[in-house]
Amino acid sequence: MENKKRIYADHAATTPVSREVIEAMAPCFSELWGNPSSLHTDGQRAKELVDAARAKVAAAIGCEPAEVYFTSCGSESDNWAIKGAAHLLASKRKKIVTSKIEHHAVLHTCAALEKEGFEVVYVGVDAGGFIDMDELRAAVDENTALVAIMMANNEIGTIEPIREIAEIAHERGALMFTDAVQAVGNIPVDVKALGVDMLALSGHKLHAPKGIGALYIRKGLRIPNLIDGGGQEKGRRGGTENVPYIVGLGVAIEDAVAKLPEMARVRALRERLIDGLLTLPYSRLNGDRECRLPGNVNISFSFVEGESLLLLLDMEGISASTGSACSSNSLEASHVLLSIGVDIEDAHGSLRFSLSHSNTEDEVDSIVKAVRGVVERLRAMSPIYPAK
Ligand SMILES: *Cc1c(COP(=O)(O)O)cnc(C)c1O
């Protein structure tokens, strides 16, 4: 019916699996199907693939292979790091310091720990989405087990000063964890330079399949095991390895890091899209303009409903998001936008576009044209739009 190519501008929600990744994974379903724990040749071949992928992930984030643990997703990594740190230090320290703009995989994990009796402090952010450092300094104390602050925000793209935050955590003897799911593959990430004790990443945000992630755990840090079972992941996360997906993650993360210099082009697309969309009346950019992920654009359009915008854009062949994919089914306004001071009406009229290498200038121009059209249509129907 329709031949027009769709425009995908929702890479922060998920990314297509690249051809290179599919090709690297394919043999793991056919000739290389062994169990890495088996001592025979079939098993050892699979083990070599897992080892090679672990080395690639380690090289991408600047750690040793032994510090990389494969998990099933970013959410699992977030859960393991936060609950692990809390339970490791529970007898001495009962507080967790995080932020108001974390992903739900962090916020809901912290909420679960509150039910167990831990105290959680949710530090606020400024209008650009940056952590309030005074509030953070005041919150982190001798009772703090963990500071958990994301490296880059999934909705507004703001990049946090993780190195500085890690220093504050360590000065008071707390551990430092960062959810870097949006950062890895989009900006340089080096766990040693950042000084973090744990870092989460996810495959499907960087052109590997859904259902694979990793957690960096600094050598010597003994958070409790996630899954007791066999000796996989040094006995800390049992369960036979997902060899194909692990291989896919290795190739995807190596590719993503190799392509980081090309992010300058994505950043230029982002600027073009922001400039184009801000020509619409009653529009504003959410998040800091400079210190943001190369592909992230988040704009509020007053007097329109984000859901309506999204559906009309979808009919025009454009995939965007109203915020985080996880909350797009609920009518709750984005907790991130409310935290940076966007009022509730404008929060409901916000769109996120997340660009990647595959997008083009022509696509950006088409997006601007389509958004202008649908915003004007919706505003023409709005009883509260002033410029009628
Ligand atoms: C997508 C995302 C997650 C969750 O990762 P999954 O692999 O989908 O579980 C966690 N944190 C951030 C910032 C994300 O963008």
Side-chain angles (χ1 to χ4, degrees):
M1 173 190 102
E2 225 197 304
N3 287 322
K4 202 170 146 229
K5 193 172 157 279
R6 289 187 58 87
I7 298 174
Y8 187 76
D10 201 13
H11 291 90
T14 197
T15 58
V17 180
S18 72
R19 195 172 41 79
E20 291 79 4
V21 168
I22 293 172
E23 279 171 10
M25 286 170 54
C28 308
F29 295 107
S30 47
E31 64 263 32
L32 295 167
W33 40 264
N35 184 330
S37 300
S38 302
L39 291 178
H40 49 62
T41 303
D42 292 309
Q44 288 311 296
R45 281 192 183 135
K47 183 173 183 300
E48 279 165 23
L49 293 175
V50 170
D51 289 346
R54 200 184 306 281
K56 286 185 201 296
V57 173
I61 60 171
C63 67
E64 291 172 28
E67 295 173 308
V68 172
Y69 295 82
F70 291 115
T71 64
S72 73
C73 59
S75 301
E76 182 180 319
S77 299
D78 285 345
N79 270 259
W80 189 10
I82 297 168
K83 288 175 183 161
H87 293 150
L88 175 71
L89 298 172
S91 62
K92 291 166 249 149
R93 293 166 176 255
K94 295 284 281 185
K95 190 200 237 184
I96 292 153
V97 176
T98 184
S99 85
K100 292 194 166 123
I101 63 163
E102 298 298 310
H103 190 274
H104 283 131
V106 169
L107 290 177
H108 291 167
T109 299
C110 288
L113 287 169
E114 279 181 289
K115 289 214 180 84
E116 287 181 31
F118 290 89
E119 181 195 352
V120 181
V121 178
Y122 300 88
V123 174
V125 294
D126 67 12
F130 295 110
I131 300 298
D132 183 326
M133 297 299 277
D134 293 331
E135 223 183 285
L136 182 92
R137 268 187 212 95
V140 183
D141 59 15
E142 311 299 311
N143 189 36
T144 306
L146 178 74
V147 176
I149 304 284
M150 69 201 320
M151 185 158 178
N153 186 268
N154 47 303
E155 294 189 39
I156 56 173
T158 304
I159 299 165
E160 303 294 345
I162 294 303
R163 186 196 174 122
E164 204 182 330
I165 293 169
E167 271 170 23
I168 293 168
H170 291 153
E171 269 166 26
R172 322 282 156 87
L175 293 169
M176 176 71 200
F177 164 66
T178 191
D179 172 343
V181 171
Q182 291 290 337
V184 176
N186 284 309
I187 56 174
V189 173
D190 182 313
V191 293
K192 305 292 169 190
L194 292 170
V196 296
D197 299 293
M198 294 178 285
L199 177 143
L201 61 92
S202 173
H204 75 103
K205 305 285 172 74
L206 45 88
H207 303 281
K210 294 153 193 65
I212 183 73
L215 180 65
Y216 156 76
I217 308 177
R218 176 180 49 75
K219 196 166 48 183
L221 175 55
R222 299 298 309 175
I223 61 166
N225 299 344
L226 181 67
I227 300 178
D228 293 308
Q232 297 91 355
E233 304 304 302
K234 298 212 271 340
R236 299 173 80 176
R237 189 206 183 260
T240 301
E241 297 88 340
N242 187 345
V243 180
Y245 283 31
I246 288 172
V247 167
L249 176 59
V251 171
I253 202 167
E254 188 177 52
D255 278 2
V257 170
K259 280 192 188 149
L260 279 178
E262 292 170 39
M263 272 295 162
R265 195 185 70 83
V266 178
R267 194 173 286 111
L269 292 177
R270 175 194 80 190
E271 291 303 294
R272 189 181 182 93
L273 184 54
I274 292 174
D275 286 337
L277 293 176
L278 289 182
T279 61
L280 273 74
Y282 303 103
S283 60
R284 59 170 265 191
L285 178 70
N286 297 313
D288 186 71
R289 177 129 189 191
E290 303 295 326
C291 195
R292 75 189 295 136
L293 289 171
N296 176 288
V297 175
N298 187 311
I299 308 248
S300 294
F301 302 96
S302 304
F303 316 110
V304 293
E305 263 284 315
E307 266 77 33
S308 315
L309 269 179
L310 192 75
L311 294 176
L312 290 174
L313 283 179
D314 186 40
M315 288 165 65
E316 308 254 336
I318 296 169
S319 298
S321 162
T322 48
S324 90
C326 323
S327 57
S328 59
N329 283 329
S330 72
L331 285 173
E332 254 173 64
S334 149
H335 65 286
V336 175
L337 296 180
L338 296 180
S339 297
I340 61 170
V342 177
D343 66 39
I344 194 150
E345 282 79 19
D346 281 357
H348 277 301
S350 302
L351 280 182
R352 177 190 71 186
F353 299 93
S354 36
L355 307 170
S356 184
H357 297 292
S358 57
N359 294 114
T360 63
E361 279 190 3
D362 282 349
E363 286 183 337
V364 165
D365 295 345
S366 300
I367 293 173
V368 174
K369 193 162 160 248
V371 173
R372 182 186 305 282
V374 298
V375 167
E376 280 171 3
R377 254 159 80 198
L378 289 171
R379 281 179 177 167
M381 294 187 286
S382 162
I384 52 165
Y385 186 52
K388 278 208 291 188

